[in-house]
Every structure is written in C-alpha cells, then in structure tokens.
Amino acid sequence: MLRVAQSHPQRKNLMLNTPDCPAIPGPLRHKNLPLGKAPSEPGPCPGPSAPLRLPAVLIDAPDPEDEALTRSGVLQAKRRTESHRADAYKEYRPLQTSPEKQALHRQIQACAAEAQRLERHLENHFVPLHGPGQLISPKTFFVSPLFHVRSKNLARQKHLELTLPTPVGHSPIRYEGPELRQCDSRVFLALLHMLRDVQVGTAVTIHPEAVCIALFGGYDGANRKRLRQHIQRLQKGLMIFEEFSVQLCLRFDYPKTGPWTVSLDPHIVQLFRISPEVWLSVEDRFSLPEGLATWLYSYIASQTRLIPMKVSTLRERCGSEAGERGFLNRFRDAMHVLAEQGIIDTGWSIVRGQVRWLKLHRSSSRAAPNAPAEHTSAH
C-alpha cells in the first residue's frame, strides 16, 4: 500500500529527473554566458539548436523509497498494482468455486480499489501533467489583469484586490496581494513547471544560479535579488475562494549561500478544477519581449479561436494604464512580434479601434503532455 509521506526529522534528498531535462546536481553555467555576466535586459532564450530547459529540483524526502512524492513514483505503484491484478485474474479464471478462488477474487477487488486510489492521488496532489517543453496555468490568469502589463518605471501598488473571471456555475476568484506583473508571471510559470511532477506541498530545493540563468540569461547579485523579490511577491499573493485560500507560492527559504527551498500550496490544484489549464510553449513564452507581447500570447493560447475585439477591451483586460494612443502603438508592435513568431497570422488588422486576427495552431504549444520520468535517483 502506497502511503503519503509525513514530515520526518531525518530527510534525504532525491533528485527529480525528466527524460529531456537531466538531473542537475549543482548550479548551471550557460555555455555562452560566463558567471556574473548578465545582459542589461532579459534577452531571448536559446534557440532551436539549444532548447531551453528549466533546471531540475531536489526533493527532501523522509524515505528514498517514498513513491507518493513524485508523479512517476505514483505511476509505478499504479502499474505494479494493475500487474498484480492481471496476474491474480489469470489464476482466478480457470478455478472452480473454492476458498482459493474467493481469496483471489478479494485480491482482484483490492487491487482495483488501490489503482483507483492512486489515480485519485494523482488528480488531487499534482498539477496537471505537462512536459519539459511546456508551461501551464489556469485560464483565468491569462484572460485577466492578474499579471499586469505596466511600465517598469511605474511604482507597484503594495496591495490591490481583483476579481478574476471563472466559468459559468463557479463563484468568482478574488485576488488580494501586491501588484503582480508579467515578469512575475514568468517566475510563477517556471515554478509550476519545475515542480510539475512533485506532490504539491512538498518542499524542494532549487539553485538560484541555475534558475537565474534560465529565466534572466545570467547570474549576478542583481538577478539573484530580482528572483528573490519575484518569489516573495508570489508568496504574498492570495487567491481567495468561498471556503479556502491559495498562495501562489507557499514556502520560500532563501539563505545567503547554498540552495533555496520552495513549495507549492496543496490547494493550488483546486485552481485548475475551477479554471481549465492552458498550455504554453516554454521557448515561445520566454523568447517574447516581456510585457504586452507575453500577455497577448497567453491570452491567445487560452482561446479556441480569436474573434474581432476592441483594442480598448484588451487594454482593460491586461491592466495597462497607458493612454489610448500609446497603448495602440505598443499593441501594434506586439502584434508584429507575435506574427513574426508564427503565433498569429500576418494578415491581422486594426479597423476603427477593433483588431481582426487569426490564431495559428502550432504543434509546439498544442502537443500532448509528455510522460514524467520513470524514476528518481538518489543524490
């Protein structure tokens, strides 16, 4: 019987591996960017010849054999259970009524119940499955001003309240906390991605150098502080439901030296039950200029098809405080970038304040999620 891990004073480290993102035992160094040299602005991520892969994480586990902490461990347990059930059924079929057959019948039922329990464990304790080349988020985050489009020259609001849209039949979700922007969205998406195959609520360690290089293009004191401030804002952000609240990041320890520790709120899975998940391409999201282009990309990904919309409506939804003319100019620039990236058709137009656009369905962001790694290895 698989048991969910409980806290324990003596903890061991397990490294989470994925097929396309090998285990990283320590800080990474970008092959084209020496340590401490960071561009003045976040540049594009590595191109097709060097696909971006966010670093792996280390899991603090009370028992190295504890399978409940990783998606692959739960899947392995489920496969073993189903194999035992199949073996028992082969023995069960040819037998006449007897105590042995009754015992096998009970074993088959127990295996079926355990397989169902493990499936529920996956549904209740892990964010939706996505692969190493994908990012994921609840749709409501992509169609609202939760992660604002604002100039970095404008001071952030220390506290604000927002009501986020939800599907018909669900109560609205309220956000309370510091003002979040598109740069915070980048870090939030990265955290969900790096912890995607770890049971929510489980503390993991990350190397700030590796994360800074992946997200910002380099590592130095400024980028280290920048990453810390992003995660701290997420930790203060609260999604409020009728019966519970969810922090965008639950735990965050950031010692001056060594790895940091983070964990996701166990209730974060509930966000995806109320607002369906939307997949993004890691490479597309991180190669776009941060701001309106990234908000529009996320919005476009959340839509099955694009209908004509007023530019003023999009300005309101993204939380921009730019004037009408200034926003229109930035909007045109962002649309050109999205068209060049193949995210929308090049034939888009703006007529009398209304944009007409066509979404291009690309395989990179619509592919089925990849299966998780088959195992974790001791570190």
Side-chain angles (χ1 to χ4, degrees):
M1 178 74 70
L2 182 67
R3 298 184 183 278
V4 176
Q6 302 295 324
S7 60
H8 193 281
Q10 294 181 346
R11 307 182 70 83
K12 298 183 180 180
N13 284 334
L14 294 181
M15 176 159 292
L16 185 67
N17 295 280
T18 61
D20 297 299
C21 186
I24 301 173
L28 295 179
R29 187 185 298 274
H30 195 289
K31 65 180 181 179
N32 295 322
L33 193 63
L35 180 62
K37 299 295 184 181
S40 57
E41 295 291 336
C45 296
S49 60
L52 175 66
R53 290 290 183 260
L54 290 166
V57 297
L58 291 173
I59 304 173
D60 288 330
D63 180 355
E65 302 301 323
D66 185 2
E67 295 176 311
L69 295 179
T70 65
R71 192 191 304 272
S72 60
V74 178
L75 288 173
Q76 283 184 349
K78 186 169 181 282
R79 283 192 289 269
R80 281 200 309 272
T81 301
E82 291 170 341
S83 178
H84 294 331
R85 180 171 181 261
D87 292 341
Y89 187 68
K90 288 179 182 179
E91 296 182 36
Y92 171 85
R93 287 190 64 184
L95 293 177
Q96 300 296 326
T97 301
S98 64
E100 181 183 2
K101 186 166 187 175
Q102 292 175 351
L104 285 170
H105 179 68
R106 289 192 295 270
Q107 182 179 344
I108 291 169
Q109 289 181 319
C111 287
E114 175 64 2
Q116 292 177 355
R117 188 190 72 80
L118 292 170
E119 187 62 35
R120 290 194 300 271
H121 185 76
L122 287 171
E123 294 175 357
N124 296 331
H125 298 283
F126 293 84
V127 299
L129 177 65
H130 56 294
Q134 296 168 319
L135 301 168
I136 199 171
S137 173
K139 179 178 179 179
T140 188
F141 288 10
F142 289 164
V143 297
S144 69
L146 175 63
F147 294 105
H148 289 72
V149 176
R150 297 268 174 90
S151 169
K152 63 181 180 181
N153 297 323
L154 292 176
R156 290 176 181 261
Q157 296 184 54
K158 293 183 178 180
H159 182 86
L160 57 78
E161 298 182 11
L162 296 171
T163 299
L164 307 185
T166 52
V168 177
H170 290 282
S171 300
I173 303 172
R174 291 193 299 114
Y175 170 79
E176 289 188 10
E179 178 189 326
L180 302 176
R181 298 185 180 178
Q182 282 296 295
C183 50
D184 299 306
S185 173
R186 170 186 286 247
V187 176
F188 174 71
L189 293 171
L191 289 178
L192 281 182
H193 178 91
M194 291 187 292
L195 278 69
R196 67 190 184 279
D197 293 328
V198 180
Q199 179 178 286
V200 291
T202 302
V204 304
T205 59
I206 60 174
H207 291 278
E209 178 184 357
V211 179
C212 284
I213 290 173
L215 295 182
F216 309 139
Y219 179 70
D220 58 12
N223 277 337
R224 182 185 175 93
K225 179 180 178 181
R226 178 180 173 190
L227 177 62
R228 173 174 58 80
Q229 291 176 336
H230 283 308
I231 300 178
Q232 286 175 321
R233 277 192 290 270
L234 294 172
Q235 190 180 30
K236 295 175 183 176
L238 203 61
M239 311 304 299
I240 302 175
F241 298 80
E242 287 186 333
E243 298 180 352
F244 61 93
S245 300
V246 179
Q247 289 176 256
L248 295 178
C249 177
L250 180 63
R251 174 182 171 183
F252 181 37
D253 301 336
Y254 44 96
K256 292 182 179 180
T257 60
W260 293 352
T261 302
V262 296
S263 66
L264 295 177
D265 193 316
H267 284 305
I268 203 165
V269 176
Q270 299 296 327
L271 281 170
F272 293 98
R273 293 185 174 176
I274 295 175
S275 183
E277 65 268 23
V278 175
W279 291 316
L280 303 180
S281 158
V282 171
E283 194 165 333
D284 284 343
R285 173 58 179 81
F286 291 163
S287 65
L288 290 169
E290 202 89 68
L292 186 54
T294 52
W295 187 91
L296 285 171
Y297 169 53
S298 302
Y299 176 83
I300 290 166
S302 72
Q303 306 299 305
T304 304
R305 65 184 183 89
L306 298 175
I307 61 174
M309 291 189 67
K310 290 184 177 180
V311 175
S312 59
T313 300
L314 292 169
R315 180 179 61 171
E316 180 180 348
R317 290 191 181 184
C318 75
S320 174
E321 292 186 345
E324 183 176 346
R325 178 173 297 181
F327 181 82
L328 184 58
N329 291 335
R330 294 186 181 94
F331 184 81
R332 287 195 176 100
D333 292 340
M335 292 290 283
H336 283 301
V337 171
L338 295 174
E340 290 174 359
Q341 290 280 79
I343 295 166
I344 60 172
D345 187 79
T346 57
W348 63 272
S349 63
I350 300 175
V351 180
R352 292 189 292 275
Q354 187 176 71
V355 61
R356 296 178 179 273
W357 46 356
L358 176 66
K359 175 180 178 178
L360 298 181
H361 295 286
R362 307 194 315 161
S363 59
S364 61
S365 59
R366 293 178 58 82
N370 301 98
E374 288 296 315
H375 63 279
T376 58
S377 60
H379 176 64

